Amino acid sequence: MNASRLIAIFLVVGTVIWIGSAYLVGDDTADDAAMAQADDASTTGASVTANAPGTDGATRASVRTITSNAVDHVDFLRVSGRTEAVISVEIRAETEASVVELGIAKGQPINKGDLIAKLAVDGRMAQVQKARALVAQRELESKAAESLAEKNYRSKTGVAQTLALLEEARADLKIAQTELNHTEIRAPFDGIVENLPADIGDLMSIGDPVATLIKADPMLVVAHVPEHSIRAIDLGQLAHVRLYDGTEYDGIVRYAARVADNSTRTFRVEVEIDNTDLSIPDGMTAEMEIPVGTKRAHQVLPSVLTLNDDGKLGVRSVVDGNKVDFLPVELQGGNRERVWIGGLPEKFELIVVGHDWVKEGATVGVVHLETDENGLPIPTEVKDAETDADDQSATTLSEKVAR
């Protein structure tokens, strides 16, 4: 065996030994890591076991509660609707003629009797004059016939015939005068010209629209009430209206339908509100609130509402001192800041903080909070600030100087 072969053998054996030593060291490191993980797991398990309810008396979580008391609450029927002019009329032409004058512009207020549009007179004035002349003639003939009849020179039949001709002439005169009057289209009431499709030069036929006139004072707020609530609404009842732009008005119920809409099974309700300044437009979205009775309810913050595993809306409370319970509720109105809920006991311990992190039946630590005059929790920072203020006010001047 030559020297080169011996050197190669030694190199291979050295490489194998070096690689094997690395595996041996890795196993020891892995064993150490496994032992460390086991120690951590046992520590974590001991901690979980210590915090699990019912094992050694420790609680899983802490919640904050208030004592909620039911009070008398005015129940409102809230329904969406829209504003609607009390009168909306489409004025149409009653004779055939072309438009020669417009007395008002679109969107302008108008008084009763004001000119809206004037149509061409054409030969209507001549027809009136002709009818007047014929009436005058028939009147003379009728008087002459009566005079002759008194002297027995004319029969009663002749007198009746001349009287009939006189009445016919008077009727023709009235028709001619009416036809002439139809050339001037005037407002039938005080209102606003909402639309004016007619223009100067347009040839109007009988029945063609000339203008749309609305009366916006008072303004109506119209809504459709479901059938289960219509009996609670009475005529003359007070109502509150909030428009889409945030303005609010008080009104009265002036109409409540007694026949339901066949397609929606709802009843039309109209609330009348004041609009003397004509600031409320027709067709604006509105929300109507009508008081329909008094109920017992709890006033709470919207944040305390939650859903259980079945998807039911409710609140969580504490019973037996430290057990969590779920109570389903029914909403009875409110706003984004406060809501009224019913279907609850007269008095119970309501969880206001931590209710989303606990389940029914869990054992919890309870921190009771004080409430204000409305039964809502007083924030901790406010209470602490008041306490600090009291402490500062109780500090003497010498103590402040010493500080």
Side-chain angles (χ1 to χ4, degrees):
M1 182 177 298
N2 53 20
S4 61
R5 183 172 295 178
L6 289 174
I7 293 172
I9 292 173
F10 281 121
L11 290 174
V12 170
V13 172
T15 302
V16 171
I17 293 173
W18 177 71
I19 295 174
S21 65
Y23 277 107
L24 291 176
V25 174
D27 291 342
D28 293 340
T29 304
D31 292 340
D32 293 341
M35 292 178 65
Q37 291 178 0
D39 293 340
D40 292 341
S42 63
T43 302
T44 304
S47 177
V48 172
T49 302
N51 290 330
T55 56
D56 57 354
T59 58
R60 183 182 297 273
S62 178
V63 298
R64 296 186 179 186
T65 66
I66 62 171
T67 301
S68 182
N69 296 282
V71 296
D72 288 333
H73 163 62
V74 178
D75 190 23
F76 288 91
L77 172 65
R78 292 175 174 83
V79 59
S80 296
R82 61 181 179 84
T83 59
E84 184 177 297
V86 65
I87 300 177
S88 180
V89 177
E90 192 171 48
I91 310 298
R92 297 178 179 271
E94 297 182 79
T95 188
E96 184 173 347
S98 59
V99 180
V100 296
E101 181 184 347
L102 292 177
I104 194 69
K106 181 170 63 174
Q108 297 294 319
I110 192 171
N111 296 322
K112 181 178 180 180
D114 288 350
L115 180 68
I116 297 177
K118 187 173 183 179
L119 306 182
V121 175
D122 297 331
R124 293 177 178 82
M125 182 58 72
Q127 293 292 335
V128 170
Q129 294 174 350
K130 178 182 178 180
R132 285 176 179 170
L134 184 58
V135 168
Q137 177 185 346
R138 298 303 185 192
E139 287 177 348
L140 292 175
E141 292 176 352
S142 178
K143 290 180 180 180
E146 290 178 357
S147 178
L148 292 174
E150 291 176 357
K151 298 177 182 180
N152 294 322
Y153 294 128
R154 190 72 179 264
S155 65
K156 293 182 179 180
T157 304
V159 174
Q161 184 179 3
T162 57
L163 183 59
L165 292 175
L166 173 59
E167 293 299 327
E168 182 181 357
R170 288 174 176 172
D172 290 340
L173 174 59
K174 188 173 183 179
I175 293 174
Q177 288 176 333
T178 302
E179 187 72 13
L180 179 63
N181 293 336
H182 285 166
T183 60
E184 292 186 354
I185 302 173
R186 298 184 177 274
F189 54 84
D190 296 344
I192 298 175
V193 179
E194 180 62 24
N195 193 21
L196 192 64
D199 202 355
I200 296 177
D202 289 345
L203 178 62
M204 309 302 294
S205 299
I206 296 177
D208 287 347
V210 177
T212 301
L213 192 62
I214 66 171
K215 185 176 182 179
D217 181 36
M219 180 65 72
L220 299 181
V221 179
V222 179
H224 290 82
V225 175
E227 52 190 354
H228 59 75
S229 301
I230 189 62
R231 289 189 177 182
I233 300 177
D234 298 320
L235 296 181
Q237 188 173 357
L238 295 178
H240 186 73
V241 174
R242 183 182 296 104
L243 301 183
Y244 179 78
D245 59 3
T247 55
E248 299 184 7
Y249 299 86
D250 291 323
I252 60 172
V253 178
R254 55 163 270 172
Y255 173 75
R258 294 305 168 189
V259 178
D261 185 280
N262 290 330
S263 58
T264 61
R265 308 307 303 168
T266 56
F267 295 80
R268 179 183 172 97
V269 173
E270 298 177 358
V271 172
E272 181 181 299
I273 59 178
D274 183 66
N275 189 30
T276 53
D277 57 356
L278 304 179
S279 61
I280 305 175
D282 186 348
M284 176 176 281
T285 302
E287 183 182 47
M288 182 189 303
E289 292 184 352
I290 302 176
V292 292
T294 302
K295 291 184 179 180
R296 300 288 289 177
H298 294 259
Q299 187 180 34
V300 299
L301 298 173
S303 59
V304 306
L305 299 176
T306 186
L307 297 174
N308 65 359
D309 294 337
D310 296 331
K312 293 183 178 180
L313 182 66
V315 296
R316 287 191 170 93
S317 66
V318 171
V319 296
D320 299 332
N322 60 358
K323 296 291 184 181
V324 178
D325 190 20
F326 179 83
L327 301 175
V329 302
E330 57 180 20
L331 291 176
Q332 295 183 2
N335 49 43
R336 294 182 179 180
E337 298 178 356
R338 302 174 183 180
V339 294
W340 291 95
I341 54 177
L344 298 167
E346 284 288 311
K347 181 178 181 181
F348 70 100
E349 200 70 11
L350 172 66
I351 300 178
V352 295
V353 178
H355 53 282
D356 288 328
W357 311 108
V358 294
K359 295 293 183 181
E360 296 82 272
T363 302
V364 295
V366 178
V367 178
H368 185 79
L369 301 179
E370 297 182 3
T371 57
D372 58 16
E373 64 276 6
N374 295 319
L376 300 176
I378 300 176
T380 305
E381 56 271 15
V382 174
K383 185 178 179 182
D384 294 342
E386 293 176 351
T387 303
D388 294 341
D390 293 339
D391 292 343
Q392 291 179 5
S393 62
T395 304
T396 63
L397 179 60
S398 60
E399 290 176 343
K400 291 181 180 179
V401 172
R403 292 178 182 176

